[in-house]
Amino acid sequence: MKSRLKSSIYIFLTVFIIDQAVKYGFAHFNWDVQGSVMSLQLAYNYGVAFSMFSFLAHYLKYIQLGLVILGTLYLYKNQDVFKEYYFAIALLYAGGLSNILDRFTYGGVVDYFYWHYLFEFAIFNLADVIIDLAVVIIIYKQFKQGKKSNNKVCEN
């Protein structure tokens, strides 16, 4: 358990620091670049995914922080879940807490990836990609475990 905790802390810190450094660059050094398929363009998201709930802009940081605290309490009480999903959890916390820190620091989440080839997509950031990756890993592991339990049931 201790090695998984150490690994997850290392993963968390690495991803969190990289994400915050990139966001700082966009927020303070005008790193905007226009491309034909995708652009790097500073935008602030005051809501959640696709700017939903932007009317809660001031309160979202507290709501999200509360959810992180509840998730942490759940993981503390269910350490077997943490053991199984520590890598994905580290990614999820790094991306989530980085976006929450943006809300406290900049008033909104710093976004900068802007896809605009053939269709326009919401502007997003590295933390969003990391969160999505964590969710994909969790779903994959759940699917894999489900197949294993189905095979055991069929064998009996």
XYZ file of all heavy atoms in Angstrom, residues 1-17 82 86-87 89-91 93-94:
215
model
N 0.818 -1.195 0.000
C 0.000 0.000 0.000
C 0.863 1.261 0.000
O 0.565 2.202 -0.702
C -0.937 -0.038 1.215
C -1.771 1.191 1.395
S -2.978 1.390 0.088
C -3.929 2.717 0.700
N 1.947 1.245 0.790
C 2.798 2.439 0.882
C 3.454 2.760 -0.452
O 3.596 3.931 -0.803
C 3.846 2.270 1.977
C 3.284 2.425 3.361
C 4.377 2.409 4.404
C 3.758 2.573 5.779
N 4.741 2.693 6.822
N 3.867 1.742 -1.209
C 4.509 2.007 -2.501
C 3.499 2.599 -3.486
O 3.839 3.464 -4.282
C 5.145 0.747 -3.067
O 4.155 -0.193 -3.415
N 2.243 2.128 -3.429
C 1.211 2.689 -4.295
C 0.915 4.134 -3.906
O 0.700 4.970 -4.775
C -0.055 1.849 -4.229
C 0.090 0.537 -4.945
C -1.220 -0.217 -4.963
N -1.085 -1.400 -5.779
C -1.395 -2.624 -5.399
N -1.897 -2.815 -4.198
N -1.238 -3.634 -6.196
N 0.902 4.410 -2.626
C 0.666 5.777 -2.160
C 1.797 6.697 -2.615
O 1.549 7.794 -3.124
C 0.514 5.811 -0.637
C 0.198 7.180 -0.032
C -1.101 7.739 -0.593
C 0.125 7.076 1.487
N 3.048 6.235 -2.464
C 4.195 7.029 -2.921
C 4.131 7.263 -4.426
O 4.369 8.369 -4.900
C 5.513 6.331 -2.560
C 5.904 6.473 -1.124
C 7.240 5.786 -0.875
C 7.628 5.855 0.568
N 8.903 5.167 0.839
N 3.816 6.216 -5.173
C 3.706 6.349 -6.635
C 2.605 7.328 -7.012
O 2.789 8.169 -7.893
C 3.400 4.997 -7.281
O 4.460 4.115 -7.098
N 1.472 7.236 -6.337
C 0.364 8.128 -6.680
C 0.698 9.578 -6.335
O 0.318 10.490 -7.071
C -0.935 7.680 -6.013
O -0.838 7.753 -4.624
N 1.415 9.802 -5.255
C 1.834 11.164 -4.899
C 2.793 11.704 -5.949
O 2.679 12.854 -6.379
C 2.449 11.208 -3.483
C 1.354 10.969 -2.439
C 3.164 12.529 -3.229
C 1.873 10.749 -1.025
N 3.737 10.877 -6.400
C 4.688 11.292 -7.431
C 3.947 11.621 -8.741
O 4.203 12.646 -9.369
C 5.730 10.198 -7.664
C 6.690 10.530 -8.770
C 7.704 11.465 -8.583
C 6.570 9.921 -10.021
C 8.571 11.787 -9.604
C 7.439 10.241 -11.044
C 8.437 11.170 -10.842
O 9.287 11.491 -11.857
N 3.027 10.753 -9.141
C 2.237 10.975 -10.360
C 1.430 12.264 -10.217
O 1.418 13.106 -11.114
C 1.302 9.778 -10.639
C 2.115 8.541 -11.002
C 0.288 10.102 -11.740
C 1.345 7.234 -10.891
N 0.763 12.409 -9.073
C -0.041 13.599 -8.818
C 0.803 14.860 -8.949
O 0.442 15.796 -9.667
C -0.680 13.531 -7.419
C -1.295 14.833 -6.995
C -2.579 15.170 -7.398
C -0.581 15.736 -6.220
C -3.140 16.383 -7.026
C -1.130 16.948 -5.845
C -2.420 17.274 -6.250
N 1.918 14.910 -8.229
C 2.755 16.119 -8.239
C 3.302 16.427 -9.625
O 3.313 17.591 -10.053
C 3.901 15.980 -7.229
C 3.496 16.062 -5.759
C 4.681 15.745 -4.862
C 2.917 17.433 -5.436
N 3.740 15.407 -10.338
C 4.287 15.614 -11.675
C 3.245 16.210 -12.610
O 3.490 17.237 -13.268
C 4.819 14.287 -12.255
O 5.811 13.759 -11.372
C 5.410 14.479 -13.636
N 2.084 15.589 -12.677
C 1.023 16.057 -13.576
C 0.530 17.429 -13.149
O 0.349 18.327 -13.970
C -0.138 15.032 -13.635
C -1.325 15.582 -14.394
C 0.341 13.729 -14.259
N 0.324 17.621 -11.846
C -0.182 18.884 -11.310
C 0.768 20.035 -11.638
O 0.342 21.095 -12.118
C -0.380 18.756 -9.800
C -0.989 19.961 -9.150
C -2.363 20.099 -9.070
C -0.191 20.955 -8.592
C -2.934 21.210 -8.465
C -0.751 22.065 -7.992
C -2.124 22.191 -7.925
N 2.052 19.835 -11.400
C 3.043 20.894 -11.639
C 3.154 21.213 -13.126
O 3.197 22.387 -13.517
C 4.412 20.510 -11.027
C 4.323 20.549 -9.496
C 5.524 21.411 -11.539
C 5.490 19.919 -8.771
N -8.681 2.230 -3.551
C -7.460 2.975 -3.866
C -6.375 2.044 -4.384
O -5.698 2.351 -5.355
C -6.947 3.741 -2.638
C -5.675 4.480 -2.911
C -5.696 5.688 -3.598
C -4.453 3.955 -2.529
C -4.521 6.370 -3.883
C -3.271 4.628 -2.806
C -3.303 5.845 -3.487
N -5.204 3.208 -7.973
C -4.344 4.297 -7.507
C -3.802 5.158 -8.650
O -3.705 6.381 -8.524
C -3.205 3.770 -6.631
C -2.098 3.089 -7.391
C -0.959 3.774 -7.772
C -2.212 1.734 -7.732
C 0.051 3.142 -8.469
C -1.209 1.099 -8.419
C -0.087 1.801 -8.797
O 0.899 1.179 -9.499
N -3.443 4.549 -9.764
C -2.886 5.318 -10.885
C -3.934 6.277 -11.442
O -3.682 7.479 -11.605
C -2.373 4.377 -11.979
C -1.781 5.090 -13.154
C -0.529 5.684 -13.060
C -2.459 5.181 -14.353
C 0.029 6.362 -14.141
C -1.924 5.852 -15.439
C -0.674 6.446 -15.327
N -6.643 7.292 -9.965
C -7.029 8.247 -8.921
C -6.014 9.383 -8.847
O -6.385 10.556 -8.712
C -7.190 7.534 -7.563
C -8.448 6.655 -7.603
C -7.252 8.520 -6.416
C -8.568 5.678 -6.455
N -4.734 9.065 -8.952
C -3.701 10.107 -8.934
C -3.896 11.073 -10.102
O -3.786 12.300 -9.940
C -2.309 9.477 -8.984
N -4.182 10.526 -11.286
C -4.439 11.380 -12.451
C -5.688 12.230 -12.249
O -5.700 13.430 -12.549
C -4.597 10.528 -13.712
C -3.378 9.758 -14.198
C -3.735 8.898 -15.404
C -2.238 10.705 -14.537
N -7.139 13.206 -9.450
C -6.899 14.255 -8.455
C -6.000 15.356 -9.016
O -6.228 16.536 -8.746
C -6.274 13.660 -7.195
C -7.287 13.182 -6.178
C -8.228 12.211 -6.510
C -7.312 13.691 -4.895
C -9.159 11.777 -5.589
C -8.240 13.252 -3.954
C -9.162 12.298 -4.311
O -10.082 11.874 -3.401
N -4.976 14.990 -9.772
C -4.072 16.001 -10.331
C -4.832 16.940 -11.259
O -4.723 18.170 -11.144
C -2.916 15.330 -11.076
